[in-house]
């Protein structure tokens, strides 16, 4: 089965599985197509994180996180969110494909060439694909900003406007870049002909990134972080990601006995929200472990989680004036006939990343460097060669040491929040993936579209539940049912008898497809 936010991407992955390819090979095909068909959320100029596991006990994390330029600018008051100065961090997605492909060949006997896996992406970039409602939404949402972004309008506003939903959207320059990767291998993005074009284009717009920074960008294989939860082992990527935050939330909820209250009730939402708050209080400590040693025992230790659970007041909401980090990404998951599984995220951080299209490559660069801090006392302070605090945290749950749940979502600070309701609904309440994904969600704190320190609830939450939450001290604002602000999640359940059940978010343009 494959789940992704775009039907064409899911179909590309399913084709690889049908032809005998493994989960990693199918996931590369999916990721390649998404880099073309979901350019507002991910692309070659962004990053990726994968969790990979199989029934033989292997489990690993592929960390394709770009590092800060060796010589970052001196920022006076804030790191720019858009434009050339926001292209502060290099891009790791393409090297993640290299590392994943090598993993497949080395451990799973993978035989499909990487060039073949990128064929669908090249075709959709070269010949076009139907313009999606999601891309139209985010083009319209940023309409007042787009004109000033270098190189952006030529590709994404052909004829001075975004295409209409369903019109063919073509990216010929991106197709040429993908062909170079397919012909010369992924390292061409960092060291070859394509790298030279990227370095030249970055220099022309005044980016701090150089050819040397591209060469130094290498995806790494690292141990996932793990937490036992109700007979399952939950896996998350290690720091500098917020994977430990998601695990901490689940550890707090287990101690609060979330499964003993009615799903969807005011008490359910209250416990979930308060657990999120307690875990979020520790996130300022997360940073690149190459620069700051992570206190994993502290974050996920029994005593710490017990103290966090004890700090939750079941009768009163903790005030929450904390900053919300925006960001967008795509989740995709794949499991093959042998149960080998991939849970992955690709991202350019904000919707449309930095807004900078690099030279003549068609590559839209990320603005992940905006996640750094300028506070010299912060573990996440910007430094040359450092990886920023990272919101991406795809997940996987093992049952008896074997892949059982694949899950993840778009949404930056919203990711742990969406995963909280998704995982509790799947594990504690036994809902199927589509039901779990369809039910209403919350979003805590300020967002780019609402600067109020409120608890956002989808309008499908009942008035009685909202009133009860307000009685507990939550300041509520309503967002539309199935709101794009509530994340685009996906899930696959691999059952013990080999049956596979999956879905993708009704808030997206995608679906799950299986054999």
């Amino acid at each position: 089965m494959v789940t992704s936010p775009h039907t064409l991407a899911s179909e590309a992955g399913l084709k690889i599985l049908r032809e005998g390819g493994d989960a990693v090979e199918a996931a590369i095909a999916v990721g390649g197509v998404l880099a073309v068909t979901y350019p507002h959320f991910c692309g070659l100029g962004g990053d990726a994180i994968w969790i990979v596991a199989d029934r033989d006990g292997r489990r690993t994390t592929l960390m394709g996180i770009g590092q800060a330029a060796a010589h970052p600018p001196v920022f006076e008051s804030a790191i720019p969110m858009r434009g050339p100065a926001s292209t502060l961090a290099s891009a790791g997605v393409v090297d993640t494909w290299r590392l994943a492909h090598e993993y497949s060949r080395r451990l799973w006997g993978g035989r499909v060439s990487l060039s073949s896996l990128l064929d669908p992406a090249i075709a959709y970039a070269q010949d076009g694909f139907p313009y999606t409602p999601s891309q139209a939404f985010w083009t319209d949402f940023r309409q007042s900003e787009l004109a000033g972004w270098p190189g952006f309008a030529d590709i994404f506003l052909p004829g001075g406007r975004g295409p209409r939903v369903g019109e063919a959207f073509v990216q010929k320059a991106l197709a040429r870049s993908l062909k170079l990767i397919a012909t010369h291998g992924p390292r061409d993005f960092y060291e070859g002909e394509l790298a030279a074009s990227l370095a030249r284009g970055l220099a022309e717009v005044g980016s701090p990134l150089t050819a040397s920074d591209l060469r130094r960008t290498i995806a790494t294989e690292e141990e996932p972080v793990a937490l036992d939860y109700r007979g399952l082992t939950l896996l998350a990527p290690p720091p500098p990601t917020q994977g430990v935050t998601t695990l901490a939330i689940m550890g707090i909820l287990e101690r609060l006995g979330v499964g003993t209250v009615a799903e969807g009730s005011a008490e359910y939402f209250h416990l979930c929200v308060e657990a999120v708050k307690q875990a979020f209080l520790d996130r300022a400590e997360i940073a690149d472990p190459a620069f700051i040693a992570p206190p994993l025992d502290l974050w996920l230790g029994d005593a710490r989680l017990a103290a966090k659970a004890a700090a939750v007041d079941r009768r009163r909401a903790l005030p929450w004036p904390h900053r919300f980090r925006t960001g967008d990404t795509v989740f995709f998951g794949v499991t093959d006939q042998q149960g080998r599984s991939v849970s992955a995220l690709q991202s350019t951080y904000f919707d449309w990343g930095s807004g900078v299209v690099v030279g003549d490559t068609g590559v839209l660069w990320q603005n992940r460097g905006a996640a750094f801090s300028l506070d010299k006392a912060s573990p996440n302070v910007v430094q040359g060669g450092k990886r920023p605090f990272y919101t991406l945290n795809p997940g996987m749950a093992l049952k008896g040491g074997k892949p059982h749940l694949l899950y993840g979502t778009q949404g930056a600070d919203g990711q742990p929040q969406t995963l909280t309701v998704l995982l509790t609904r799947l594990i504690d309440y036994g809902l199927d993936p589509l039901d779990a994904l369809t039910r209403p969600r919350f979003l805590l704190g300020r967002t780019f579209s609402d600067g109020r320190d409120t608890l956002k609830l989808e309008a499908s939450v009942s008035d009685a539940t909202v009133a009860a939450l307000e009685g507990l001290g939550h300041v509520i604002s309503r967002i539309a049912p199935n709101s794009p602000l509530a994340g685009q999640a996906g899930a696959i359940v691999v059952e013990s008898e080999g049956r596979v059940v999956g879905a993708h978010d009704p808030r997206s343009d995608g679906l799950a497809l299986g054999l």
Side-chain angles (χ1 to χ4, degrees), residues 251-252 255-256 301-312:
I252 294 166
R255 286 158 177 80
L256 290 171
D302 286 340
R304 183 63 169 175
L305 294 176
K308 290 284 186 180
V312 171

Side-chain angles (χ1 to χ4, degrees), residues 266-267 463-474:
E267 188 175 5
D463 291 341
T465 298
V466 171
L469 286 167
E470 288 176 333
L472 292 169
H474 296 280

Side-chain angles (χ1 to χ4, degrees), residues 28-47:
I28 292 171
V30 173
V33 172
L34 289 172
V36 175
T37 61
Y38 250 49
H40 49 301
F41 285 173
C42 73
L44 304 187
D47 287 340

